[in-house]
Structures are given as C-alpha cells and as structure tokens.
Amino acid sequence: MRYTRLGRDGPVISNIGLGTLALSGAYGAVDPGDALRLIGRALDAGVSIVDTADLYDDGQVERLIGRAVASRRKEIVVCTRGSGTAQACEASLKRLDVDAIDLYYLRSPHRDAPVEESMAGLADLVRAGKVRHIGLSDGTLRQLREADAVHPVAALAVEYSLWGLRAQPGLLAEARRLGVSVVAARPVGRGFLTGRIRSADQLTPGDWRRRDPRFEPAGLRRGLDPLRAVEDVAARLDLGAGRLALGWLLSQGDHVVPVPSTRDEVHLEMNLAASEVRLAPGVRDELSRIFPPVTADQSGSLLI
C-alpha cells in the first residue's frame, strides 16, 4: 500500500480508501457480519481511510464502521457526510462511537446555495474538537472557493472515473491549486469498469444502479465499445480492467484518492492491488481519450 497526505496539513492516509455505499445494500443484500469482516480485512491490508455518509442504510453503516475501528481508532481516518449542522454531526459521532470525526463533509449543497454559513458552523465544530478536518461533497467551483475562504477544505468528494468526471469544469484544477485532496467516489463506475456488468438484467430490482441512466440498456450499449478499448489496454499491461481504472485515477496525482466500495473480499483485494500501479504518461493519456467527457450537468448530483 502506498500513502499520501490528506489536504494541505492533514494526516497521512493510504492512497486507496474504502468506500462503503456497497455495504448499505445499495447494490444487493449484505450480511452485517460479512460487512464487518470486509472492513477488518481492508484495515489489515493497510487501508487507513474509510469513507461513508450518514444516510447510508439510515445510519447503520456508520454504526458498523464504529464497531470495526473501535480497537484501532488511531490508525484510521474516518470520513462521513452530513447536512453540516451540529445536530447531524452529533448524531454521526454517536453512531460512529468516536470523540471526533476525522473528515466531515458538507454533503451535496444545492448548486446555487452559498456555503459560507454552513462552513462557519463546521468551523465551530472543529474548534469544539468534534471535527478534525472539513470536506465538501459534490460542490461547485464557486462553492469550493467560498468554503475554503471560511475554513481550509481538506478534501473534495466527487464522482470521478474513466467512465465520466461528474464535476464542473475547472473544479479539480482549483482543488489541486488550493491543496485540496480529491476523494474519487465511484472510481470503477459502480462496477461497470471492471467488465462484470454488461446488461441491466444483471442488476437486482432494488439495485441503486437502476436509477443511473448509464445502466439503462441504451447507456450500457454506448459504454461497451469504450469498455472493450479499456480492456484491450489492460490486457496489454497484464492488468484487470478495474485495477487499470483505479491506476488511471492514481496517475492524476498524489492528491487523488479513490474510495471504491464493494461487498466482496475478492473484489476488495483486486481494488487494493491497484495501489502499486504506476502508469506511463502515454498510457494515462491514451485511457483519457477512450471515454467521452461527461459533465456534472449531464449526470446530476453525486448523492453520496
């Protein structure tokens, strides 16, 4: 496992984290005992950043993480999202069973809403010792600047993968300029970039991916030719397509930290193996040209 720093002056973290949306049941049923073992396996493998949200399974995933990290709290950077109010933060603290949240994101503010008031409230939580670092989830370029002017933003969470960058043009460049880490959510395209999902018929009726236009039959058809091109590059490099997709994100800079989520320990091992992937600039650029760009306006809110 390789490591990097969170934001300008945050803790050193693994360059691949563990996302936890899959542990909420969003992609299919999950046994709580299996979920607990998977988190433990990730921590044993060197993962030191666990990323979640208060809305995942109505707070149950936060409770699960609290149990998983209880005996090794000092090793783990716990991240969660909420509305930014003191009440929401206190509820997350209780579910996580921690004294302070290492990284607390202001969750998906409305694109036209000013964020100064919410950030001022979060800054108060930092001063109170309830939160150590502040993040912004799915904000705009203007909101990132406004937020950072109130209090340093350690991380920006945005959907980011080969299959599409769900961010306003210029947002990631501004994050880099400000020294803000980019937490890449859905880094393997909700499983599409692994090559395992080629038909909507593979998804269970309650699967969250059925809400995503990219997983409708027409959307999947549009994605298959680019996916085959990615798989050709992966075969040339003797890598799995999912591992290559994560390696592409890591090649964007040390400030980019993918947080893939999975319910499966085998898939977890495959994801974490990408930590050591180093792509030549030519390969990185070749991959960048394969999928057409997708803007935030086309894809909607991150909703994580």
Side-chain angles (χ1 to χ4, degrees), residues 79-265:
C79 317
T80 194
R81 292 159 182 74
S83 63
T85 66
Q87 183 179 10
C89 179
E90 290 287 355
S92 287
L93 284 165
K94 184 175 181 179
R95 287 189 292 266
L96 290 163
D97 194 23
V98 296
D99 294 328
I101 296 169
D102 299 305
L103 175 62
Y104 190 81
Y105 298 97
L106 175 61
R107 183 180 58 232
S108 301
H110 188 280
R111 294 179 65 81
D112 297 324
V115 299
E116 291 97 335
E117 184 176 344
S118 295
M119 284 297 294
L122 289 174
D124 287 341
L125 292 173
V126 172
R127 286 188 284 272
K130 305 288 187 180
V131 169
R132 294 196 173 101
H133 299 277
I134 300 174
L136 185 64
S137 180
D138 196 31
T140 65
L141 179 59
R142 176 183 59 79
Q143 288 172 334
L144 176 61
R145 289 171 174 163
E146 290 175 348
D148 196 68
V150 175
H151 186 280
V153 175
L156 171 73
V158 63
E159 180 166 354
Y160 189 11
S161 76
L162 273 174
W163 203 15
L165 167 59
R166 272 83 189 150
Q168 185 183 36
L171 180 60
L172 296 193
E174 183 68 2
R176 186 167 195 163
R177 186 188 74 79
L178 292 172
V180 175
S181 292
V182 174
V183 175
R186 301 174 184 167
V188 291
R190 293 179 145 185
F192 178 76
L193 291 171
T194 66
R196 292 190 295 269
I197 301 171
R198 295 176 183 260
S199 169
D201 294 336
Q202 295 174 250
L203 307 178
T204 60
D207 194 305
W208 282 26
R209 286 170 286 199
R210 288 188 174 273
R211 309 176 193 176
D212 188 331
R214 294 173 299 172
F215 284 90
E216 294 175 356
L220 287 170
R221 283 195 298 272
R222 284 194 298 270
L224 284 178
D225 283 345
L227 175 62
R228 293 186 187 103
V230 170
E231 290 173 331
D232 288 344
V233 177
R236 193 174 78 217
L237 299 175
D238 195 25
L239 294 172
R243 188 176 173 192
L244 178 63
L246 291 169
W248 177 80
L249 282 168
L250 294 173
S251 74
Q252 306 303 311
D254 291 342
H255 66 300
V256 177
V257 181
V259 287
S261 70
T262 182
R263 300 174 291 158
D264 186 284
E265 286 197 30

